[in-house]
Amino acid sequence: MQDFCTYTARQLRQAIEKDSVKAADIASCLLARRNAVDKKVNGFAHFDKKLLLERAEALDANESKGPLSKIPIAIKDNICVKDELTTCSSKILDGFKAPYDATVVTRLKQAGTLLAGKSNMDEFAFGSSCETSCYGPTRNPYDLDRIPGGSSGGSAALVAADEVIAAIGSDTGGSVRQPAALCGVVGFKPTYGRVSRYGLIAFGSSLDQIGPITKDVTDCALLLKIIAGYDPMDSTSIDTDVPDYTTSLVKDVKGLKIGLPKEYFIEGLDKDVKEKVDQAVDLLKGLGAEFREISLPHTDYAVSVYYIVACSEASSNLARFDGVQYGLRSKKPSLLDMYKETRREGFGMEAKRRIILGTYALSSGYYDAYYLKAQKARTLIKQDFDEAFKSCDIILTPTTPTPAFKIGEKTKEPLKMYLSDIFTIPANLAGIPGISVPCGYSKGGLPIGLQFIARPFDEAGLIRAAYTYEQNAGFERIRPEL
Ligand code: GLN
């Protein structure tokens, strides 16, 4: 039998149409691949073999005709799939099964995809390394001693390791783009409001967006087309047309004005990362793109602003996990002790740190000094982008300052960990879309990512720029040896 796991979604769709490949055969490939490698990668938080086979059988029986029919997709563990474990990789949601489907899941089911389990993540999406999961860390398929990035580390690692064809992640400060970069796959964060958040367990509600993680830009366009669009169930969803993103899969950047923000090419940027990004710039120049230096003067404040806003929103969103309605419940007889003990036992260290930070920033007396000030600085960061987009159509940056770091390297120093999102956070604060595409490997063989950022709702422009780069980049994808 063919090894369908190594296919992209488009290739697999072609094989399905040409040779009438059965979903059952695709499911067997997945199972074999998972058995062979997932003990090492640990990309799944929840995987139900019986359910996978039943779903495959149903797809075969119904002769499903959806555009992504039979394509196996993993869903991040903070996105609700009806009657399936949805735990945000946290002990506090132990045993919780979602009572309904998130809108993205409904759409993926309608498109005929084969849902293939829940992917591991940093607890409640708090992290950049996938080390805070209660199910243990996911490992980078390119080097098992290294992190896959986070918080959608499971999603990115599963795609990179050919355990699934594509995956869905969520991006609050970089959690789709950063792990995609570190695992050598494509990750897309749409404009805030483009994809419904209904059924995504909230972290930072003003920042969260759901996005695809795929093997190439073509698959990214295919998936985005399915999950994007207005949803009355999400009050922040925007009612605007969704273009057919596959029509943007054209190789043309002639005359495209690309800005290089000087604040992103600074000391501390890894040499190999800089070299690969510089090569990408040269390549795009050769293809007719026009480059200019731009300035995003408030970049330095982004990480601090983000950690105040994101932790404040998280502390409020996580108040609902108190042992009454969801998951874990301590046996303490008094109500107050039950609340306290459930939260003490259920949340990990990073979640507790963020709840405490956020509660402090929102408390009376400190609200003006921290939260309000952060919101004002957020506006300045947004205005930097508005100004920049007067002179360019797309902004190009590295996705991360360094390739994947070692497991355990930053766990004792939260501030160092927080700084690894320095290039991805600004787009979330400004609500604008960004994509990470692979742009080569470090000398040590670790993947490096290139980020394109665009104006609000210009997802199509991003796809076109990223596709042009990908198709011309000319380096071979190295498959991880597992
Ligand atoms: N790494 C960032 C954080 O820890 C972003 C996480 C995310 O996007 N969910 O907050």
Side-chain angles (χ1 to χ4, degrees):
M1 190 165 38
Q2 288 281 46
D3 188 4
F4 298 119
C5 296
T6 60
Y7 287 30
T8 66
R10 168 155 290 174
Q11 288 165 345
L12 186 51
R13 277 304 310 155
Q14 282 163 352
I16 292 167
E17 268 158 36
K18 192 165 142 275
D19 305 325
S20 315
V21 178
K22 291 221 166 318
D25 293 336
I26 297 170
S28 320
C29 276
L30 286 194
L31 288 174
R33 182 69 184 158
R34 178 170 179 271
N35 286 340
V37 303
D38 208 52
K39 273 197 194 69
K40 298 180 202 160
V41 176
N42 194 33
F44 283 106
H46 311 290
F47 186 86
D48 185 336
K49 177 178 165 188
K50 194 167 147 260
L51 188 63
L52 179 77
L53 294 174
E54 278 168 17
R55 279 197 174 127
E57 205 177 301
L59 285 170
D60 286 335
N62 298 337
E63 281 304 322
S64 150
K65 290 272 179 304
L68 285 183
S69 180
K70 305 180 188 176
I71 303 297
I73 310 259
I75 308 283
K76 188 174 177 180
D77 194 28
N78 59 352
I79 297 174
C80 291
V81 179
K82 190 173 184 324
D83 299 331
E84 266 186 69
L85 288 169
T86 298
T87 65
C88 291
S89 299
S90 174
K91 217 173 132 191
I92 207 160
L93 278 171
D94 188 34
F96 177 72
K97 289 194 172 167
Y100 59 89
D101 279 328
T103 299
V104 292
V105 170
T106 306
R107 291 182 182 212
L108 289 167
K109 284 183 177 172
Q110 282 162 357
T113 58
L114 174 60
L115 296 190
K118 306 301 291 285
S119 50
N120 200 17
M121 57 185 277
D122 280 294
E123 183 181 11
F124 282 101
F126 300 153
S128 314
S129 64
C130 219
E131 292 168 290
T132 66
S133 163
C134 72
Y135 306 115
T138 295
R139 292 168 184 273
N140 192 312
Y142 285 87
D143 178 347
L144 296 170
D145 290 332
R146 291 180 188 266
I147 57 106
S151 63
S152 315
S155 292
L158 287 172
V159 176
D162 290 320
E163 289 193 63
V164 290
I165 304 297
I168 296 293
S170 66
D171 190 313
T172 306
S175 275
V176 162
R177 290 161 289 155
Q178 185 254 19
L182 302 189
C183 290
V185 292
V186 174
F188 198 104
K189 182 200 94 74
T191 309
Y192 185 78
R194 180 55 108 184
V195 173
S196 169
R197 293 183 297 114
Y198 179 70
L200 165 68
I201 298 178
F203 159 8
S205 306
S206 75
L207 303 154
D208 300 340
Q209 265 296 289
I210 292 176
I213 296 181
T214 56
K215 293 184 189 178
D216 64 10
V217 178
T218 302
D219 282 7
C220 177
L222 288 170
L223 266 176
L224 190 61
K225 189 173 148 188
I226 285 168
I227 62 173
Y230 176 64
D231 176 18
M233 300 301 277
D234 170 3
S235 61
T236 60
S237 159
I238 308 271
D239 193 358
T240 160
D241 285 348
V242 179
D244 178 352
Y245 297 117
T246 55
T247 62
S248 301
L249 296 169
V250 280
K251 290 184 261 180
D252 181 13
V253 287
K254 249 182 230 95
L256 186 74
K257 297 194 214 64
I258 304 184
L260 295 171
K262 62 170 193 251
E263 293 79 4
Y264 284 55
F265 294 85
I266 39 159
E267 235 177 275
L269 182 62
D270 177 90
K271 260 188 31 226
D272 290 353
V273 174
K274 180 160 185 330
E275 188 188 308
K276 293 295 159 195
V277 174
D278 286 347
Q279 283 172 7
V281 170
D282 288 343
L283 187 118
L284 288 162
K285 253 185 214 159
L287 295 168
E290 293 167 17
F291 279 87
R292 60 210 61 206
E293 185 180 272
I294 56 161
S295 173
L296 298 166
H298 297 92
T299 300
D300 264 2
Y301 302 105
V303 173
S304 332
V305 167
Y306 169 82
Y307 277 95
I308 293 196
V309 174
C311 292
S312 297
E313 293 183 8
S315 72
S316 160
N317 278 323
L318 266 54
R320 63 175 66 101
F321 302 109
D322 56 7
V324 177
Q325 289 199 64
Y326 316 98
L328 189 79
R329 181 187 183 106
S330 121
K331 300 223 160 25
K332 294 271 179 206
S334 96
L335 182 64
L336 196 60
D337 288 346
M338 190 281 285
Y339 287 154
K340 283 196 207 157
E341 189 55 23
T342 301
R343 288 170 71 84
R344 194 190 65 75
E345 248 187 74
F347 287 130
M349 279 304 292
E350 184 60 25
K352 285 177 183 156
R353 180 181 292 123
R354 297 208 184 194
I355 292 169
I356 292 168
L357 274 172
T359 306
Y360 180 78
L362 289 177
S363 57
S364 82
Y366 296 102
Y367 180 93
D368 288 4
Y370 294 106
Y371 186 72
L372 193 64
K373 203 186 227 171
Q375 289 292 18
K376 289 181 181 167
R378 181 177 184 175
T379 303
L380 296 175
I381 290 167
K382 164 89 175 64
Q383 285 169 353
D384 283 354
F385 282 104
D386 293 345
E387 201 45 46
F389 284 124
K390 286 183 186 159
S391 66
C392 63
D393 307 309
I394 297 275
I395 294 173
L396 186 152
T397 79
T399 311
T400 60
T402 64
F405 47 88
K406 285 251 162 76
I407 290 183
E409 193 178 318
K410 298 193 181 176
T411 37
K412 298 228 161 51
E413 291 174 282
L415 268 181
K416 267 202 180 157
M417 184 78 87
Y418 294 174
L419 283 170
S420 52
D421 302 310
I422 190 158
F423 299 148
T424 48
I425 279 174
N428 297 79
L429 290 170
I432 55 182
I435 184 171
S436 177
V437 275
C439 67
Y441 300 87
S442 70
K443 300 210 170 58
L446 297 169
I448 294 173
L450 178 70
Q451 177 176 233
F452 295 90
I453 302 172
R455 296 185 183 96
F457 296 101
D458 190 18
E459 280 80 7
L462 278 185
I463 298 226
R464 185 178 181 132
Y467 181 75
T468 307
Y469 170 73
E470 175 192 70
Q471 296 299 309
N472 287 283
F475 64 86
E476 279 293 305
R477 183 180 167 217
I478 303 170
R479 282 187 198 284
E481 278 171 41
L482 283 162

